[in-house]
Amino acid sequence: MRPHSDPEGPESREGSDGSESPETLVRDHTVYACVMGSRAFGLATDGSDTDRRGVFLAPTPLFWRFQKPPTHVEGPAEEQFSWELERFCALALRANPNILECLHSPLVEYADDTGHELLALRGAFLSRRTHETFARYALGQHKKLEADVRVHGAPRWKHAMHMLRLLTSCRDLLRTGTLTIDVGDERGPLLAVKRGEVPWPEVESRMNRLAAEAETASHRSPLPEEPDHRRVEDFLVRTRRASACQPDPYDEVVQGVVGGGGVRQR
């Protein structure tokens, strides 16, 4: 599904300096859009939100200005968040769990040619770094959950569920080299955790077991030590160059000034 068009007309399409507004960048320049959260994980229930994530390609001429395009945009729809392509790739190369999961969503709503090429690069972003980043994120969540138990007598069970989900995903990725974010047969046990039906000590026991299994898997993982930076950078440079060749009002102004002798040396 193509991101919806601007409902407010041309007056809402530009910022005060003539640049495109953040909302317009998302609406008109999205290259990839997907559903994330519980719906993508296979953990949705009747009350689950629909979290949408996306990647937009800011036109290259916008980077020639002092005011650079944003690295990310929240909205314009509820529960929607998008990253500019370069920022998205940089985070993916650092094995950011949220970004990598976004690239592997089974619920893709839109992808143009650039988006399809980005999806074809999924393997280039994966490396053994995922062990550190996924495990570090889970450890941070565990510390917050322990604090909840001390203060309130119980953790936030939804967060406990996602901690176990992330560790399971990490272990399986390191074992197989493939990132699968739908929990499959683990849906029932994980939702039981979310409902508070599993005692906290048992949740911690599962966490420790999964962490140990991920550690073991990391030593013989089929994943490379590092992601393929060169392949990703080649894609980004080609995409920026192609964007620079597209007709753009600002580019026409620049060409007119330069071609008409409007630039003088002092």
Side-chain angles (χ1 to χ4, degrees):
M1 180 179 71
R2 184 69 169 94
H4 48 277
S5 61
D6 186 350
E8 299 182 16
E11 288 185 356
S12 66
R13 295 170 64 83
E14 296 186 351
S16 59
D17 61 350
S19 62
E20 296 186 79
S21 69
E23 293 80 7
T24 302
L25 286 171
V26 173
R27 290 185 176 122
D28 292 354
H29 300 289
T30 288
V31 299
Y32 172 69
C34 68
V35 172
M36 282 301 300
S38 295
R39 297 193 183 281
F41 299 141
L43 292 169
T45 58
D46 291 340
S48 295
D49 294 328
T50 300
D51 300 319
R52 287 185 163 86
R53 300 291 179 264
V55 182
F56 63 91
L57 173 63
T60 300
L62 295 182
F63 290 92
W64 301 341
R65 303 182 175 195
F66 289 121
Q67 183 69 38
K68 306 302 181 187
T71 58
H72 58 270
V73 176
E74 187 170 354
E78 292 186 9
E79 308 298 335
Q80 182 182 11
F81 192 95
S82 301
W83 295 267
E84 207 282 324
L85 179 63
E86 182 175 342
R87 175 63 172 168
F88 186 87
C89 289
L91 290 172
L93 286 169
R94 287 187 239 162
N96 180 289
N98 291 325
I99 301 295
L100 292 180
E101 288 182 336
C102 182
L103 264 180
H104 290 79
S105 172
L107 304 177
V108 175
E109 292 192 312
Y110 175 76
D112 65 4
D113 290 344
T114 300
H116 282 297
E117 191 170 356
L118 177 64
L119 289 175
L121 279 173
R122 285 183 294 192
F125 294 106
L126 296 178
S127 70
R128 295 190 186 190
R129 286 187 178 186
T130 54
H131 178 228
E132 177 188 356
T133 55
F134 279 54
R136 185 171 64 235
Y137 186 88
L139 178 61
Q141 285 297 107
H142 182 228
K143 290 180 178 178
K144 293 178 181 178
L145 293 168
E146 284 183 317
D148 288 339
V149 173
R150 289 194 300 270
V151 175
H152 304 292
R156 288 167 290 180
W157 292 110
K158 180 179 179 179
H159 291 193
M161 173 190 72
H162 282 297
M163 176 187 68
L164 295 177
R165 177 198 63 76
L166 187 67
L167 283 171
T168 301
S169 180
C170 175
R171 178 201 62 188
D172 293 346
L173 168 60
L174 291 166
R175 283 177 173 177
T176 66
T178 301
L179 180 57
T180 302
I181 68 172
D182 189 303
V183 300
D185 294 340
E186 290 297 313
R187 172 181 165 86
L190 286 170
L191 288 178
V193 172
K194 181 181 178 181
R195 293 191 297 266
E197 297 171 359
V198 181
W200 173 239
E202 183 176 337
V203 172
E204 285 195 299
S205 177
R206 290 187 193 178
M207 185 205 76
N208 292 331
R209 174 176 56 81
L210 288 167
E213 290 173 351
E215 173 68 30
T216 298
S218 70
H219 297 299
R220 46 175 175 261
S221 175
L223 292 174
E225 290 290 340
E226 297 290 334
D228 194 339
H229 285 83
R230 176 171 294 181
R231 186 178 167 200
V232 174
E233 188 170 57
D234 285 347
F235 158 68
L236 183 62
V237 170
R238 282 189 292 101
T239 302
R240 288 273 192 250
R241 184 178 291 119
S243 173
C245 294
Q246 296 298 312
D248 181 87
Y250 179 68
D251 185 52
E252 291 175 8
V253 171
V254 172
Q255 294 297 330
V257 171
V258 175
V263 176
R264 294 182 297 173
Q265 299 294 327
R266 292 182 180 270

